[in-house]
């Protein structure tokens, strides 16, 4: 199912963002926005857009008790920010890691619900 694959990719991207964040701090460098950051962010933003449409359709069809379209919107908004932020060492570590943890948690709950049905 496409939705399960997309959700899995997004969960993996959360983990990659954390790794990238630590790597950029370790390397102590600033990436080139147009060659590194933008191409990656564009791919993820497109995936998020498609995932949100699929996820919202699934939620409307299956009406899960503990998952709502507001949560998918929150996942998209948060990921759009922290995917870009993961390239920059200057951002707040706590806020960045908390956002990823929250988003990853929501995605994993959603993944479990979709696989259940």
């Amino acid at each position: 199912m496409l939705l399960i694959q997309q959700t899995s990719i997004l969960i993996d991207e959360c983990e990659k963002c954390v790794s990238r964040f630590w790597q950029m701090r370790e390397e102590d460098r600033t990436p080139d926005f147009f060659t590194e950051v933008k191409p990656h962010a564009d791919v993820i933003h497109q995936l998020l857009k498609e995932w949100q449409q699929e996820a919202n359709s699934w939620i409307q069809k299956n009406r899960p008790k503990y998952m709502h379209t507001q949560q998918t919107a929150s996942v998209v908004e948060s990921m759009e920010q922290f995917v870009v932020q993961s390239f920059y060492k200057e951002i707040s570590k706590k806020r960045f890691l908390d956002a990823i943890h929250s988003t990853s948690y929501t995605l994993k709950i959603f993944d479990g619900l979709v696989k259940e049905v």
Side-chain angles (χ1 to χ4, degrees), residues 3-47:
L3 186 55
I4 292 172
Q5 291 173 318
Q6 290 172 329
T7 305
S8 179
I9 291 168
L10 293 176
I11 291 168
D12 289 345
E13 182 60 27
C14 288
E15 294 167 12
K16 289 177 185 174
C17 284
V18 173
S19 298
R20 185 179 314 112
F21 173 74
W22 291 117
Q23 180 185 355
M24 296 309 275
R25 280 184 164 221
E26 192 176 295
E27 292 175 3
D28 195 28
R29 71 178 183 91
T30 303
D32 181 70
F33 180 78
F34 292 102
T35 60
E36 290 180 74
V37 182
K38 188 175 183 330
H40 183 74
D42 287 347
V43 169
I44 298 302
H45 289 178
Q46 182 61 37
L47 174 61

Side-chain angles (χ1 to χ4, degrees), residues 21 80-89 91 95-96:
F21 173 74
E80 284 177 342
Q81 291 178 14
F82 71 66
V83 165
V84 172
Q85 291 172 347
S86 70
F87 285 90
Y88 297 97
K89 61 184 178 6
I91 60 148
R95 201 173 97 206
F96 173 77

